Amino acid sequence: MAARRGAELLRPPESSGRATFLELFFDLAFVVALTRVSQRFAGLTDDTGWALVTGFGRTLLLFLALWLIWSHTAWITSRYEPEQPVIQAVVVGTMFAGLVMAVTLPRAMEERALPFTAAYLMVMVVRPLVVAAALRGHPRRLVPFRLAAWASVSAPLWLAGALGPDQLRLPLWAAALAVDYLAWTLGWPLPWLGAAAVARWRIAGMHLADRYQQMFLIALGESILVIGVVFSGVDYSAERAAAFAVAFATSALLWRIYFHRAGLLLTEALDRAGLPGRLGATSGRTHLLIVLSVLVTSVGYELVIDDPFGSPRPSWLLFVVGGPVLFLVARTRLEYEIFGRISRSRTIGLVALLLFTPALARWAPMVGLSVVSGVLALVALLDAWRSRGRPLEIPTSPVGRGAAGDRDSEA
């Protein structure tokens, strides 16, 4: 009887695969969070050498913590019915914790480390226990128990980093985050219980694809916000107006390249996969890189619009060129995950950007952004030329291969 009541929380086969309004509401907290991540990256534009490396590493760590919270939530609502009151309470509670992390993020490595950590641990430790209790006697309750157990292992490192000396915060939090990501990768193995292999989880493929695509669009929206806010806050000039236009064109090209074929067919690929959990997990890591690349690129927009023809600095190349390079690498990986191949257009774009980089280091930021936009336009044109008159391909992912019967009965 208890197992039957717990089973009511699971997504039924006839459930709509689309994201609910609750999940879109949940994403609002992460709009704030991504904006704060972008602002922290922007604060590094005057740094050089080791200060730039450590500053980037600190912000990257905070972003990875946020991403883990968001991705776990996406998987929860893909496995459990979002219309159930318990799941709704879990999502809203996670949204509040995410908002706390967002507002403390600008100083999370300084005096606001403790509230950031407390919000993170509330989600990682308490949330799975709530889900496990709601599942009652259902066999799947062991999965959230595993999550809570592993989060308890990393929790002392998080707390030690928050309460200890400032110079130890980065290494302690990096170790804690490594434990959390390793646990996710291994399936949170426990003695006598084994692991809950994510690759064999039953998930709503359409729903998970929707969530990844929506997060990409949120990141793109953040980049558009940066373009508008920066341009409206500086003195008008023809050079800045040109930088504003090129920055917008770059974001539009990122959107076009992402959704061409592979990004558009992610839903179908997950639906057709014998092991959608495996493809969902790998494409989740790919979308982490894609979202990060858009955030890094948006910092480049701010730098170029503010001072289009300023003197070259070591940091501007990281944001103006490094962000699009990372995007093309991640988009190439996504294409392989969907089709099992790599298009020449993305390879050409990557090689072109890498060849131009040494020369761009000596030119003004506006020149660098213009070259990046031109290379992305070339990639988009090659994509359009290759697909002209051809129907959409059928996804043949090498990642999600396997029989449906191979899925873990517990998951």
Side-chain angles (χ1 to χ4, degrees):
M1 181 66 70
R4 187 179 303 115
R5 288 197 296 268
E8 295 174 356
L9 266 65
L10 309 183
R11 261 188 184 266
E14 64 275 8
S15 175
S16 171
R18 294 300 178 187
T20 63
F21 291 121
L22 171 66
E23 292 167 276
L24 299 178
F25 177 57
F26 166 79
D27 284 345
L28 295 178
F30 283 83
V31 172
V32 179
L34 293 185
T35 301
R36 294 297 176 264
V37 171
S38 180
Q39 288 176 345
R40 277 195 69 107
F41 277 134
L44 304 174
T45 54
D46 291 327
D47 292 342
T48 58
W50 186 244
L52 177 61
V53 172
T54 56
F56 192 91
R58 287 168 180 265
T59 305
L60 178 61
L61 186 148
L62 298 174
F63 168 74
L64 291 175
L66 285 166
W67 180 266
L68 197 61
I69 296 295
W70 182 88
S71 59
H72 276 196
T73 306
W75 280 72
I76 285 175
T77 52
S78 185
R79 287 161 58 79
Y80 302 105
E81 178 53 62
E83 299 302 327
Q84 287 288 335
V86 171
I87 302 303
Q88 291 180 341
V90 164
V91 172
V92 172
T94 304
M95 178 183 179
F96 179 75
L99 190 59
V100 171
M101 292 173 69
V103 298
T104 58
L105 191 142
R107 303 291 296 174
M109 284 289 180
E110 292 79 24
E111 71 273 8
R112 294 185 177 179
L114 186 57
F116 181 90
T117 300
Y120 178 83
L121 292 179
M122 184 65 67
V123 176
M124 296 297 292
V125 178
V126 177
R127 182 176 69 176
L129 293 177
V130 172
V131 175
L135 286 169
R136 303 186 184 187
H138 195 278
R140 195 179 287 186
R141 74 190 186 283
L142 296 177
V143 175
F145 272 132
R146 287 187 176 95
L147 270 69
W150 271 89
S152 299
V153 171
S154 66
L157 293 172
W158 283 105
L159 291 172
L163 298 173
D166 290 352
Q167 61 269 25
L168 294 180
R169 186 161 298 137
L170 179 59
L172 286 171
W173 280 9
L177 197 62
V179 170
D180 291 339
Y181 270 91
L182 180 64
W184 167 262
T185 303
L186 298 179
W188 304 277
L190 291 178
W192 300 290
L193 292 178
V198 177
R200 301 182 184 277
W201 283 11
R202 298 185 184 97
I203 58 169
M206 177 185 294
H207 175 269
L208 202 58
D210 253 12
R211 300 300 288 134
Y212 290 151
Q213 291 165 345
Q214 286 161 2
M215 182 50 70
F216 168 68
L217 290 173
I218 287 172
L220 268 187
E222 194 278 335
S223 74
I224 297 298
L225 178 65
V226 167
I227 294 171
V229 169
V230 174
F231 187 59
S232 64
V234 296
D235 294 335
Y236 176 81
S237 68
E239 292 83 3
R240 285 177 172 148
F244 169 80
V246 174
F248 175 79
T250 303
S251 282
L253 288 165
L254 295 178
W255 165 82
R256 168 63 182 171
I257 293 170
Y258 172 85
F259 279 106
H260 180 79
R261 304 289 180 167
L264 187 64
L265 294 174
L266 178 60
T267 298
E268 185 177 347
L270 282 165
D271 285 340
R272 295 174 65 91
L275 293 173
R278 178 180 297 166
L279 179 57
T282 58
S283 62
R285 290 189 286 269
T286 301
H287 280 81
L288 183 158
L289 297 176
I290 289 175
V291 170
L292 177 62
S293 71
V294 175
L295 294 180
V296 172
T297 304
S298 69
V299 177
Y301 298 158
E302 181 174 350
L303 190 153
V304 175
I305 294 173
D306 182 60
D307 193 7
F309 291 96
S311 300
R313 287 173 289 177
S315 59
W316 81 261
L317 205 62
L318 171 65
F319 297 109
V320 175
V321 182
V325 166
L326 180 60
F327 174 82
L328 287 178
V329 169
R331 181 55 180 76
T332 300
R333 173 183 161 118
L334 179 65
E335 183 174 28
Y336 177 79
E337 291 167 349
I338 303 302
F339 298 117
R341 59 164 170 77
I342 297 174
S343 293
R344 284 192 294 269
S345 60
R346 264 157 286 285
T347 303
I348 292 171
L350 272 172
V351 171
L353 285 179
L354 293 175
L355 289 176
F356 280 130
T357 297
L360 293 177
R362 298 190 294 270
W363 290 85
M366 180 63 181
V367 176
L369 185 60
S370 299
V371 169
V372 165
S373 187
V375 170
L376 293 177
L378 174 63
V379 173
L381 287 172
L382 290 174
D383 282 345
W385 177 80
R386 181 181 179 277
S387 62
R388 183 180 55 184
R390 298 182 181 180
L392 288 176
E393 302 167 69
I394 297 175
T396 53
S397 173
V399 178
R401 288 175 183 167
D406 290 337
R407 298 174 188 173
D408 191 342
S409 60
E410 177 192 300

